[in-house]
Amino acid sequence: MRSNKVNVAAGLVGAVVLGLSGAVPAVAVPDGAARAVRFCGVDRATGLGVSAGRDVPCAAALGVAAAYTGVWQRAGGASVEVHAGGSTWACRERQGDPDPYQECLDAGHGGRRVLLTS
């Protein structure tokens, strides 16, 4: 019994060490686009995962997500502009395969994107 507890504890420590190692794997963009994004964290209000292109700092991505999730339910599916991280972002729901997701594109730099996924 004691060895099982030790094995579980060792496994948990290993998972934490791997999680804190600083290497963040790229995740697939829901619409199949080739651009790599990285996971930045979780939106506090909705629990949705927040990912961003490598050209968007994670702090900015989380700020965009917070600004968007503060207004998206009232938008009724329409595109919404939010201001965060010194930029204006155009955000909307997109149909993924199979689940929909939220996407925000920097209006000034169209290649910068933030994704919110469940």
Side-chain angles (χ1 to χ4, degrees):
M1 185 75 150
R2 182 163 169 80
S3 66
N4 284 340
K5 288 181 182 178
V6 170
N7 289 340
V8 169
L12 290 173
V13 169
V16 169
V17 168
L18 286 174
L20 297 176
S21 68
V24 179
V27 296
V29 176
D31 63 1
R35 289 186 286 176
V37 295
R38 70 189 182 297
F39 181 73
C40 290
V42 176
D43 176 64
R44 291 182 186 189
T46 62
L48 293 174
V50 179
S51 301
R54 300 217 179 269
D55 53 350
V56 180
C58 280
L62 292 168
V64 170
Y68 179 48
T69 59
V71 299
W72 72 309
Q73 294 294 346
R74 295 187 301 261
S79 183
V80 176
E81 279 193 357
V82 297
H83 303 281
S87 295
T88 299
W89 298 80
C91 302
R92 65 184 178 131
E93 183 171 286
R94 304 278 311 240
Q95 183 57 49
D97 182 19
D99 297 323
Y101 62 97
Q102 310 300 317
E103 177 184 56
C104 296
L105 298 175
D106 186 337
H109 301 90
R112 292 177 11 126
R113 70 192 297 187
V114 174
L115 303 172
L116 289 85
T117 57
S118 57

